[in-house]
Structure formats: C-alpha cells, structure tokens
Amino acid sequence: MDSVSSSWQQDRVSRLACARISLIYFWRHGRLPDLANPATFTELVQWRKLHDRDPRFPVFADKLTSKAIVADRIGPEWVIPTYWHGTELPVEPEWKPPFVVKARHGCNQSIFVFTGRENWRDVRRKSRRWMRNDYGFWLDEWLYRQIPRGILVEPFIGNSAKLPIDYKFYVFGGRVEFIQVHLDRAGRHRWILFDRLWQRVSAPSADDPAPPSTVVQMISAAEELGREFDYVRVDLYEVNGKPYFGEMTFYPGSGYDRFDPVSLDAVIGKYWLRAKRPENTASRNKA
C-alpha cells in the first residue's frame, strides 16, 4: 500500500471511530462530545482513545506485566500472586478454591471459583471466548488490542465468597485527587466518589463507608504508580488490613459512565487539563 492510500485508510478509520464514539457518547450522556476541545473528564477519555498512543499504556494495563512494575515500585507484598497464566485453561482445575480466572488483556472478564463445584467446562468455554474476542475494538480502546491475549489464575483475596471493596484512585499528574469506592459488586452494586480527604463529592447517600485503615499507604502507592501520567486510575483493595494492587486503567468506563451530579464531569476534567499543561508534563518527564 502506498503512502497516499495508507493515509486515506487511516483517515477513514479515524472518521469512523469519531462517529462511533460520538453516537455512543450521545446515547450515554444525552449530548455530543467536543472531541476537538475536550473539557470534561468523559470527553478527555474519548480524546485519549482517539489520539494518545503512549506505548507505556499497554504495559501498565496488562494484568500480567503490571505485577512486575508494582513489585518494583511499591513492593512485592502489594501483588496478588499468579497461580498460572497461559492461553488455554487445563482440562481440570489444578488449584485449590477459592480462586479467580481472568483475562490479562481486557476488563470485566473474571470468573470466581469459590467451592470447586462450579461447572469447569463453562469456565473454560468463557475463557476461550475471551481469547477469540478482540477486546477494545467496539469501544475504540486502542491499548487493549496491544496486550497479548491470555488468561490468569489468581487466589481469591476476599473473605468467604464476598467480593472485597474496590478502591479506585484517580491520579492526575502523580497526585490522587479522588477516590471512587465500589460497594457490593456482586449484588446491589453502587459507587461513591470521595476527594483525597475522604469527603464525599458525589450525590448524597446513606451508606458512606469509612476509609480503609491503610488509606494513607494506598494514596502514596497510587501516586507512585501513576507519577508519569497526566491521568491514570489505580485500583486497590484492602483485605484484613492489608492493601493489594488490582489494576491500572487508562479509559475508566470507556468515558461513558455518568457522574452524579453531572457537574462532576467538568470538575474532574479540570484536574486532568491542569496535569496536561506543558509545564506539568515537563516536570514529570524530569522526575
């Protein structure tokens, strides 16, 4: 393919991606995104999907390679061990439950094996589907298509069969500004947004959890992991007073999740825009 044809093809793909993103964004948010001059958090996620090809993104988002980064930067005690990784699960499970089967190259692709009485054939069938599917294509999430397809098996770190609370740290230019707390992910799932001082900023509710006992260490760890990026979300857990690393996400909710109140979208976007300023980018590159 000559350079003219290649350029035309890339332009066509870009226009299709913009159209697809705009349609989905309108469906989710009730308005079209400003992709030329993004100002809100969710618009900035769309801009990143279209334009930012930072080669570090796939390495940090890969559920396997990120463990080595975490162990090196904040210590191996933060890392959930890997029982096994590969491209096809064995015919019979080789690990004592409870454990978790997950894809290394995508999100929301996890199967919890609590008792060992689960249908292993179904588990293998689902994992094969993960391996076949091109995760990230339909939502234009470039980085996931750069991660080698694979499957991980890890020990389950919760108590009994209850999923641990998920703490998602919004890191802008190496500083945690917000903490999103996900409750009851296997049941009445809902989330609350706090600032770094654990003051609620999302809509009021009656079930505000207390901060984890290791919140100070968790903030420090998230800031160390996200120090060179203008924005990244670092997901952590605390189980029995011990913090653990979950994953790092560069496209939270693919930019389609709604904030409550809606005004939070613009408020959070300002932190990202500030971190993107040339002087702030330069200081991170020197660190």
Side-chain angles (χ1 to χ4, degrees), residues 19-57:
R20 184 164 49 237
I21 282 173
S22 295
L23 285 172
I24 299 174
Y25 191 95
F26 182 83
W27 171 59
R28 293 293 295 165
H29 295 286
R31 62 182 178 85
L32 289 172
D34 186 341
L35 299 177
N37 297 289
T40 67
F41 178 81
T42 55
E43 287 174 339
L44 285 160
V45 173
Q46 309 311 323
W47 187 93
R48 173 178 271 181
K49 290 193 295 185
L50 287 168
H51 302 291
D52 198 339
R53 298 296 182 260
D54 189 325
R56 297 169 298 179
F57 287 176

Side-chain angles (χ1 to χ4, degrees), residues 16 55 77 96 109 121 135 144 170 173 184 219 270:
L16 286 173
E77 66 275 10
K96 183 178 179 181
Q109 293 179 327
R121 188 174 297 175
Y135 189 90
Y144 292 110
Y170 282 46
D184 196 11
I219 288 174
K270 289 179 181 178

Side-chain angles (χ1 to χ4, degrees), residues 9 18 20 30 62 110 126 156-157 164 243 257 263:
Q9 181 67 19
C18 286
R20 184 164 49 237
D62 185 327
S110 299
K126 289 179 182 177
F156 176 71
I157 62 167
D257 287 347
S263 57

Side-chain angles (χ1 to χ4, degrees), residues 61-101:
D62 185 327
K63 291 182 176 61
L64 184 62
T65 58
S66 61
K67 293 188 180 191
I69 296 170
V70 171
D72 178 63
R73 291 197 176 185
I74 61 176
E77 66 275 10
W78 287 80
V79 177
I80 300 171
T82 301
Y83 282 161
W84 174 93
H85 67 88
T87 57
E88 184 169 2
L89 289 169
V91 176
E92 297 293 338
E94 301 171 356
W95 316 279
K96 183 178 179 181
F99 60 84
V100 185
V101 179

